[in-house]
């Protein structure tokens, strides 16, 4: 007897199986239609819906498969607020001129803009839930503790870079090819984890894999869930392999991180009992303990939340910088000369990283030229808000602001890669601080803008600079077969293909970059 027959109610025994199947199908379909009608996210009133209808795309599919072009079409046709229909409902797109007035409006909420995107109530999305429950916690860890410690952690960054670069790209002095994305991700995961968790966890294989994969699995898992019709989401969640991976990552992260947290609490307790000060640590476990001020802290969710914000973004930016070094090789010599001069004169300090003006400009131009996203400033409207053009953003709506990376009124010859356009601008009177890598401006939304602009950007910028100093002096890089690695595009996002490769060979660095006594 098969399973179906075993569980078939008695009254169905005389009804042919084919009829049963059809009847069941009809009931399921009607239930689905009824449910969809009740829960469908209708377009907002008063904002034109933009889609590439001329290509036969529905609004939802237009956003999903060609988000960047859909937005470009809306901006061109309306030059005013309009809406797109995403897998989780409508979103308003605002032209760039609204960026400044929305910097610090108290009607807005940042984490709520992501609530529907990541299915925070499902197990595995713990990192996303952390941000939503307690947004200020990670903000305070990052903006206050991490940023204030940049001087203290510069040596750790250099130490970890020395070891990671050697492990990842090796010592081969002949030209050879290597994976680009995964190797950069490995370096970034090690450097970030050195500062987030300290030694020895930052070199733990399982943790590094979690740090690298958690973000991507959650992007893919939630994206597959967004495509599925809402009624099927509870089912699809259990079938999507990336959601299964998320649950395992959270379990394993707990096993790795909690013993370390306990060890440190004990150590601090013992010191206090002996009448001494608890040992100071330059990593986020200690900061979380302090910032928590005696409250219950979910250290694991908080670490995953940090990884979510930090690893993928920094990996993309660093990998893109390497691609640009290959595409525009004329930038290499000036940047090498700058590194040699600054580091040999000043050694490794926070201040020396600030003196790398050419590299700073190059990184900002790299972000401008190939942005990760053409939209920024994701926000949720908590209280009705009127814009300067009298447009009213309704309660419960979500919006994004268009970037202006290609705007010719902001950028001279925007279609050209000009590595040192920002360092040139900084030499104009009164502009010394206006165009730094970490300075946000409505014309450069690479780190967002306003109250919720990326609080990790000071750290990220320093981390990428330390990596680039080592890579530029220790290696020559080139494109493989002269080809720019392909990108993967979805919605408005662009990401370098995980299959991308780079050509490289070890060269002799002109000055000693490594610390004298590495750990
Ligand atoms: C190059 C690397 C990075 C890029 C391009 C980047 C970009 C961004 C952007 C665009 C936002 C949204 C800002 C807005 O909407 O106004 C953001 C937010 C955030 N980023 Fe970054 N980020 C990077 C690295 C990091 C790192 C290393 C950390 C942590 C150490 C971090 C922590 C955060 C946090 C916590 C938020 C949320 C801010 C809030 O809740 O108000 N980011 N980032
Ligand atoms: C998503 O899950 C599949 C199946 O386990 C896996 O092969 C793939 O690498 C995952 N994607 C990412 C980016 O982790
Ligand atoms: C896609 O871009 C949006 C808008 O900038 C951003 O909020 C979101 O985190 C990005 N998603 C991915 C997967 O990079
Ligand atoms: C953006 O840059 C322009 C040009 O330097 C400057 O006038 C403006 O004040 C900046 N905006 C912000 C918000 O800093």
């Amino acid at each position: 007897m098969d399973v179906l027959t075993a569980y078939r109610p008695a009254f169905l025994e005389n009804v042919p199986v084919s009829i049963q199947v059809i009847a069941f199908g009809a009931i399921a379909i009607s239930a689905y239609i009824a449910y969809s009608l009740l829960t469908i996210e209708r377009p907002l009133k008063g904002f034109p819906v933009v889609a590439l209808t001329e290509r036969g795309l529905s609004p939802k599919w237009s956003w999903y498969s060609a988000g960047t072009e859909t937005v470009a079409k809306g901006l061109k046709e309306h030059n005013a607020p309009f809406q797109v229909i995403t897998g989780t409902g409508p979103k308003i797109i605002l032209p760039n001129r609204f960026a400044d007035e929305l910097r610090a409006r108290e009607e807005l909420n940042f984490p709520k803009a992501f609530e529907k995107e990541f299915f925070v109530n499902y197990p595995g999305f713990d990192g996303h839930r952390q941000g939503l429950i307690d947004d200020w916690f990670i903000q305070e860890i990052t903006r206050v503790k991490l940023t204030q410690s940049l001087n203290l952690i510069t040596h750790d960054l250099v130490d970890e870079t020395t070891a990671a670069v050697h492990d990842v790209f090796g010592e081969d002095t002949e030209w050879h090819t290597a994976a680009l994305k995964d190797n950069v991700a490995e370096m970034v995961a090690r450097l970030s984890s050195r500062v987030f968790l300290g030694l020895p966890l930052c070199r733990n294989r399982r943790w590094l894999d979690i740090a690298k994969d958690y973000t991507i699995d959650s992007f893919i898992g939630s994206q597959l869930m967004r495509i599925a019709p809402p009624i099927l989401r509870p089912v699809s969640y259990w079938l999507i392999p990336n959601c299964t991976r998320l649950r395992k990552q959270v379990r394993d992260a707990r096993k790795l991180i909690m013993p370390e947290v306990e060890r440190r609490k004990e150590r601090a307790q013992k010191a206090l009992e002996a009448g001494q000060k608890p040992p100071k640590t330059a990593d986020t476990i200690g900061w979380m303990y302090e910032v928590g001020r005696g409250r219950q802290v979910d250290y694991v969710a908080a670490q995953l939340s940090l990884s979510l914000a930090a690893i993928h973004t920094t990996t993309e930016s660093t990998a893109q910088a390497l691609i640009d070094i290959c595409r525009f090789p004329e930038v290499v010599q000036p940047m090498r000369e700058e590194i040699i001069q600054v580091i040999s004169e000043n050694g490794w300090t926070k201040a020396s990283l600030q003196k790398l003006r050419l590299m700073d400009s190059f990184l900002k131009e790299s972000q401008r030229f190939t942005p990760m996203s053409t939209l920024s400033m994701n926000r949720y409207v908590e209280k009705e808000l009127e814009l300067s053009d009298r447009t009213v953003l309704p309660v419960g709506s979500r919006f994004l602001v268009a970037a202006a990376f290609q705007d010719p009124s902001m950028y001279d010859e925007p279609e050209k890669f000009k590595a040192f356009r920002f360092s040139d601008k900084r030499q104009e009177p009164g502009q010394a601080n206006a165009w730094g890598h970490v300075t946000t401006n409505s014309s450069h939304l690479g780190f967002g803008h306003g109250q919720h602009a990326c609080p990790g950007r000071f750290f990220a910028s320093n981390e990428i600079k330390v990596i680039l100093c080592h890579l530029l002096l220790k290696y020559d890089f080139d494109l493989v077969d002269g080809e720019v690695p392909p990108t993967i595009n979805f919605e408005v996002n662009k990401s370098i293909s995980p299959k991308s490769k780079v050509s490289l060979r070890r060269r002799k660095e002109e000055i000693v970059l490594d610390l004298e006594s590495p750990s």
Side-chain angles (χ1 to χ4, degrees), residues 192-203:
S192 311
S193 301
R194 174 74 180 254
V195 175
F196 295 169
L197 290 167
L199 282 165
L201 263 185
C202 72
R203 293 182 187 169

Side-chain angles (χ1 to χ4, degrees), residues 213-321:
D213 294 343
Y214 184 69
T215 307
I216 306 183
D217 274 315
S218 79
F219 284 168
I220 296 182
S222 60
Q223 214 187 343
L224 293 173
M225 281 175 78
R226 288 201 290 272
I227 302 174
I231 194 177
L232 295 180
R233 277 177 199 156
V235 181
S236 60
Y237 169 75
W238 293 101
L239 298 177
I240 294 169
N242 302 86
C243 293
T244 309
R245 289 163 55 108
L246 286 179
R247 290 192 294 276
K248 179 145 173 45
Q249 284 156 0
V250 174
R251 276 198 308 273
D252 290 355
R254 249 175 233 294
K255 277 187 225 148
L256 289 168
I257 293 171
M258 285 321 289
E260 180 73 19
V261 172
E262 292 310 324
R263 255 195 304 280
R264 294 190 188 203
K265 276 192 191 160
E266 252 169 55
R267 206 169 56 190
Q269 201 57 41
K270 278 208 186 109
L272 285 176
E273 278 164 15
Q276 294 156 347
K277 275 194 175 173
K280 273 231 170 275
T281 59
D283 64 57
T284 55
I285 297 185
W287 299 333
M288 284 175 187
Y289 186 67
E290 282 176 52
V291 169
R293 295 181 191 97
R295 292 175 326 145
Q296 192 73 27
V297 173
D298 186 343
Y299 290 90
V300 178
Q303 283 297 338
L304 291 170
S305 176
L306 271 176
S307 295
L308 277 174
I311 311 276
H312 170 77
T313 46
T314 311
T315 299
E316 280 292 319
S317 304
T318 310
Q320 187 58 50

Side-chain angles (χ1 to χ4, degrees), residues 314-368:
T314 311
T315 299
E316 280 292 319
S317 304
T318 310
Q320 187 58 50
L322 278 185
I323 293 175
D324 290 333
I325 283 170
C326 298
R327 284 180 76 182
F328 309 105
E330 65 278 8
V331 305
V332 171
Q333 199 48 35
M335 285 205 285
R336 275 185 185 153
E337 282 165 18
E338 183 183 65
I339 300 166
I340 293 166
Q341 193 219 328
V342 169
I343 303 299
S344 58
E345 273 175 25
N346 306 273
W348 286 112
T349 64
K350 181 179 122 183
S352 11
L353 298 178
Q354 268 161 6
K355 290 192 177 126
L356 296 169
R357 291 283 185 112
L358 297 180
M359 188 187 288
D360 194 272
S361 174
F362 163 77
L363 289 173
K364 199 176 182 74
E365 176 70 350
S366 178
Q367 258 183 332
R368 183 196 74 82

Side-chain angles (χ1 to χ4, degrees), residues 476-491:
D476 291 313
F477 288 97
D478 205 350
L479 298 171
V480 178
D481 302 326
E483 304 238 4
V484 177
T487 56
I488 296 174
N489 304 324
F490 59 91
E491 296 179 346

Side-chain angles (χ1 to χ4, degrees), residues 100 103 431 434-435 440-442 449:
D100 277 323
R103 268 185 302 168
Q431 298 291 302
W435 297 102
T440 75
N441 190 286
S442 53
H449 199 35

Side-chain angles (χ1 to χ4, degrees), residues 110 135 138-139 146 309-310 313 317 377 379 447-449 452 454-456:
F110 177 78
D135 185 33
I138 293 296
Q139 271 215 41
L146 179 60
T313 46
S317 304
M377 298 179 80
R379 303 288 186 267
F447 286 114
H449 199 35
H452 294 284
C454 177

Side-chain angles (χ1 to χ4, degrees), residues 6 35 41 63 111 117 172 187 210 243 334 345 362 401-402 496:
Y35 181 88
E41 304 245 16
W63 166 256
E117 308 291 303
D172 191 348
M187 284 191 293
I210 295 173
C243 293
E345 273 175 25
F362 163 77
V401 179
I496 298 160

